[in-house]
Amino acid sequence: MVQQRWLGYPAATQADVAAVEQRLGLRLPPSYRSFLLTTDGWRHAGEFVWKMRDTTNLGWLRDLEPNWESWADLITEAPGDAPGNPFSRGLLISLHADVGVLFLDPADRDEDGEWAAYSVFAWSEFPQRYPSFTALMKSLYQSFHRLRQPAGRTRDNWASVAEEARGQALSGDLDKAMVSLEKAQNFGQPRATVLRTQLQMFLTTSSPYDYSRILSHLLPSTPAPDGFFRSPLFTDEFLPCMFLQHAHKEPWYGSALDIAEYLAKRALTGHRHALELAQKHAADKHSPVSALDIAQLLENAQNDPGLEIGPAIDEHRARVQQPGYRLTYGNQAFDAAVRKALAQHHSDPAALWDALGTAMTHWQPRTPDHIAPVALLADPALAYSLTPERGRALLSQARGGR
């Protein structure tokens, strides 16, 4: 496989495909049929599917894996034109997976004859429906890159897309930037997550739950750029927003700050445990654990982003408790313009946001990945008077030297 750079198998023949269609009593959907005629089976479809079925072992889910039929109750987007249980009629296309299955639903077809596809894993919250086999495979491919981030042309390409989207956002072209950043984020580009989150903060409804949900995308296990949790973009922009939304949260959900503190505590515990094991290993000449395993454990513990999140949270709490502390909205000229707007229009949200739009001429980014004045939304008067329309108007202006 390494020499051939190919995870597939020899192609099925037309006769092979015709035989399995006759056995099943159905013509296979176009994209899956074409797939089999290119490679009869597949290895490592994404990160959690280790082998796909081929024309010799395709069969119905109800016959091969009947225990999955009860999962139909968890489907959140059942198609109205294909009632019934997709699991009881699904064609199983995965062979070996991590407590999961992939299958196609022959009753749920589009105008091109494609069958809807499902991925279901016991450790996942809900079954995921896709419009076709192709869409399912693309999602698995994206998931592999998102989790592994392997070096190569794919990663380099999406890094370039994220950089181009950064320029589009600063130029005020929000729609292009959002589309590009979503695609780059699906392929695991950490910068894309940081950039897109800033735009989403201004384009969503202004509720503590929505803000916390968006802010939580910045936290591990989502990869973050190196040094992000030590940067002013996190400590002076995102983190104050997390504290505000936590103060206004309802008890039925965990805030982004709750998640951040949990990750910080877990990282600190893991680091202490790794150090203890290393000390025991050094003192025990007959330790069954190898020095290489200990070194790897220490490296993983030391590189846990939670070790940076914890101090950032503690330092922010300490700053807030200092006499005379006040929130900083950004660079000096922008900060002064925002304070003037708040003083003049505190009782008129429409006039306030118009004035903030004028103040944007003074705004400058704190870091290269800073593309929106997120710190505004750490102020309750601004956060809870924001509407998607006001946010779009604000960010549609060219800014930061553009």
Side-chain angles (χ1 to χ4, degrees), residues 153-220:
R153 285 181 295 178
T154 300
R155 188 175 72 178
D156 294 344
N157 171 69
W158 290 108
S160 298
V161 169
E163 174 58 25
E164 183 179 358
R166 185 184 75 89
Q168 291 167 344
L170 288 172
S171 297
D173 196 342
L174 297 184
D175 293 328
K176 279 187 179 178
M178 286 291 283
V179 169
S180 297
L181 290 172
E182 182 178 11
K183 291 178 179 178
Q185 187 176 359
N186 286 338
F187 273 89
Q189 272 297 311
R191 286 187 73 210
T193 301
V194 171
L195 296 169
R196 185 172 178 232
T197 298
Q198 294 172 68
L199 303 184
Q200 288 178 307
M201 292 284 288
F202 285 87
L203 300 177
T204 190
T205 55
S206 54
S207 75
Y209 173 75
D210 286 331
Y211 281 140
S212 275
R213 179 178 54 83
I214 293 169
L215 286 165
S216 67
H217 294 163
L218 298 166
L219 303 170

Side-chain angles (χ1 to χ4, degrees), residues 366-390:
R366 298 182 193 260
T367 72
D369 285 347
H370 190 191
I371 58 173
V374 176
L376 293 178
L377 306 183
D379 184 318
L382 300 178
Y384 302 127
S385 64
L386 176 65
T387 64
E389 293 75 22
R390 288 169 180 165

